[in-house]
Amino acid sequence: MPHLNQSVFKISLIGAAGGIGQSLSLLLKSQLPKPEIYDKVELCLFDINKDVLNGVMVDLSHIDTLYITLKLSQDIHDCLHNSDIIIMLAGLPRRPGMTRDDLFHINGTIINDLALNIMKNNPSGSSLKNISIVSNPVNSLVPLMVETFKLYKREDLISKVYGVTILDQLRCNHFTGNMNQNIVIGGHSGDTIVPVIQDNELSDDEKLEIINKIRFGGDEVVKAKKGHGSATLSMAYAGFKIFKQFYSLFTSIETNEIGITLYHEIDSCAITGNVKPAILQNVRFFSIPMVIGKNGIPISFNFEIFKYLMNNEFYAKKLLPTCIEKIIENIETGIEKSKEFYREQ
Ligand SMILES: NC(=O)c1ccc[n+]([C@@H]2O[C@H](COP(=O)([O-])OP(=O)(O)OC[C@H]3O[C@@H](n4cnc5c(N)ncnc54)[C@H](O)[C@@H]3O)[C@@H](O)[C@H]2O)c1
Ligand SMILES: O=C(O)C[C@H](O)C(=O)O
């Protein structure tokens, strides 16, 4: 709950000096509306690249949304302490020829450190409501963080961890030329991305052509940037859509729940809603439409789309089994690594 005197809603951006970090900071500082149940918003920026971060901070500070203050954190503890939303953008982006899984070795270590620091700075009962992971590989980093919280018996944090997969939805809208008809579920890399194209006019081959454009949209950007990183601008725009929704959930009076599609643990026992389909029996994490309540935790998952998918051979026999095989492998990679880190600590 906000404090009575000058209550502050704190958003922490880790990796704020990077390509996504700069653009997303701009959108948050310039576009977030005044909070209704807090007096002000603090955008807390952290990055190991202090020189760039300082420049970004000074630059952004001239934007005249006076109810949003900026803070450059010198250390991660200061940035995470008393946070309401933590947005994780830190880590290596891909270069041409790399897969997202190739980033796991380095970004996995960064995520593990972050998980330990989140636990240190946000005791049970703290204001923390949301931890969103943008860094890649999302499919493995989310399980790594969730499992770390489990190993340290911080169950209070588990359901607040989300993987940001919305860029695939934007690409789906772009490549199909349709904003509302098709949803994207699964994970966030190659075959684990499952755009559900419900257009009876298209043959399976025509659908597959569009699906592959969506699946490899990230590669298209990496190639076009010629070694200068991966998607940053479209990611910042996509991320802002999600964070604006979370912000409204937590800071406005009227919004009591939000409907959103994110990568999350789908085994949480506290969840009600329609039953997890049999085909996902061994899948612990998946991106699926869900409803999130005021405390930042899913109220229900919506597996409705599986009725369509299981009656459609193209999805039931081809796309889903390949997605599931790969996503289970990615999840295992994250979980095994968290156990390895735990044993070493
Ligand atoms: N989920 C998605 O859809 C999606 C989309 C695009 C990019 N990404 C991923 O997001 C991540 C960031 O991408 P980017 O283009 O902004 O990269 P970038 O290299 O431009 O920025 C990353 C920033 O992280 C900082 N950093 C590195 N280690 C850190 C640490 N331990 N603590 C704090 N800061 C640290 C760097 O100094 C840098 O400023 C990458 O892993 C990329 O693959 C995900
Ligand atoms: O492709 C990447 O490595 C970045 C991101 O995951 C994307 O989909 O653009």
Side-chain angles (χ1 to χ4, degrees):
M1 284 300 287
H3 309 290
L4 287 176
N5 295 329
Q6 278 294 301
S7 57
V8 177
F9 186 81
K10 179 170 172 180
I11 304 176
S12 306
L13 276 97
I14 317 297
I20 304 169
Q22 292 196 28
S23 308
L24 182 60
S25 303
L26 169 66
L27 289 169
L28 293 168
K29 171 68 176 142
S30 59
Q31 304 298 318
L32 286 181
K34 254 191 171 157
E36 288 172 8
I37 58 173
Y38 292 81
D39 294 308
K40 59 176 192 167
V41 178
E42 183 177 88
L43 269 191
C44 202
L45 312 181
F46 177 74
D47 200 293
I48 49 171
N49 191 339
K50 293 280 182 305
D51 285 346
V52 173
L53 189 64
N54 190 49
V56 168
M57 231 262 328
V58 174
D59 192 354
L60 288 171
S61 71
H62 295 175
I63 296 173
D64 59 355
T65 43
L66 303 182
Y67 53 92
I68 304 179
T69 56
L70 291 163
K71 184 174 184 199
L72 188 156
S73 283
Q74 290 300 337
D75 67 73
I76 186 89
H77 305 291
D78 175 66
C79 190
L80 298 176
H81 185 66
N82 273 341
S83 197
D84 292 277
I85 296 183
I86 296 170
I87 304 175
M88 176 53 172
L89 313 160
L92 282 190
R94 282 200 285 167
R95 289 190 305 276
M98 289 174 91
T99 66
R100 292 179 185 83
D101 290 348
D102 293 336
L103 303 171
F104 182 71
H105 182 63
I106 291 183
N107 293 355
T109 305
I110 300 176
I111 280 281
N112 181 61
D113 288 346
L114 179 70
L116 299 179
N117 284 321
I118 288 176
M119 289 189 283
K120 237 181 248 166
N121 290 286
N122 301 276
S124 173
S126 73
S127 57
L128 184 58
K129 300 164 193 61
N130 176 271
I131 305 163
S132 288
I133 300 179
V134 173
S135 311
N136 270 316
V138 171
N139 289 4
S140 302
L141 295 185
V142 170
L144 199 170
M145 181 176 277
V146 166
E147 192 64 18
T148 304
F149 290 153
K150 262 195 188 147
L151 291 167
Y152 284 89
K153 308 208 181 322
R154 287 297 305 273
E155 273 79 9
D156 59 304
L157 294 171
I158 289 169
S159 301
K160 296 174 182 166
V161 185
Y162 296 87
V164 178
T165 51
I166 189 193
L167 186 49
D168 302 315
Q169 182 64 53
L170 255 70
R171 289 180 177 141
C172 179
N173 298 346
H174 164 67
F175 286 118
T176 59
N178 191 317
M179 289 296 288
N180 301 314
Q181 194 185 355
N182 312 293
I183 69 159
V184 183
I185 59 168
H188 178 65
S189 72
D191 287 349
T192 70
I193 300 169
V194 181
V196 185
I197 314 272
Q198 299 190 58
D199 184 337
N200 296 331
E201 311 264 288
L202 295 175
S203 69
D204 288 352
D205 281 349
E206 286 167 330
K207 281 185 188 168
L208 195 57
E209 199 177 312
I210 299 173
I211 286 169
N212 280 335
K213 281 189 186 161
I214 300 163
R215 283 178 159 172
F216 299 103
D219 298 66
E220 188 190 352
V221 179
V222 169
K223 201 169 156 210
K225 290 198 174 180
K226 295 186 174 154
H228 297 282
S230 54
T232 54
L233 304 172
S234 50
M235 180 58 238
Y237 174 77
F240 182 67
K241 283 182 163 233
I242 293 284
F243 301 124
K244 204 169 50 173
Q245 271 188 281
F246 275 116
Y247 178 80
S248 164
L249 179 65
F250 300 140
T251 69
S252 75
I253 298 165
E254 298 276 298
T255 314
N256 288 316
E257 54 184 47
I258 53 171
I260 213 162
T261 300
L262 288 165
Y263 185 71
H264 195 271
E265 184 168 33
I266 52 170
D267 274 351
S268 329
C269 53
I271 303 296
T272 55
N274 47 19
V275 180
K276 185 171 154 178
I279 193 166
L280 293 183
Q281 199 185 355
N282 299 319
V283 182
R284 225 178 102 185
F285 295 83
F286 211 71
S287 189
I288 195 83
M290 62 187 78
V291 176
I292 300 175
K294 205 80 180 160
N295 58 3
I297 293 174
I299 296 168
S300 63
F301 296 123
N302 186 346
F303 293 110
E304 197 67 23
I305 193 74
F306 278 84
K307 285 189 189 139
Y308 170 79
L309 295 176
M310 298 321 290
N311 284 317
N312 187 312
E313 267 205 14
F314 177 61
Y315 283 101
K317 296 264 158 59
K318 228 172 146 182
L319 267 65
L320 277 175
T322 328
C323 158
I324 286 166
E325 191 186 331
K326 180 68 187 164
I327 217 166
I328 289 176
E329 198 183 291
N330 287 162
I331 293 167
E332 272 310 304
T333 301
I335 289 174
E336 279 314 306
K337 196 69 190 172
S338 69
K339 289 180 182 160
E340 197 182 307
F341 283 132
Y342 184 71
R343 283 194 295 270
E344 287 167 6
Q345 273 142 15

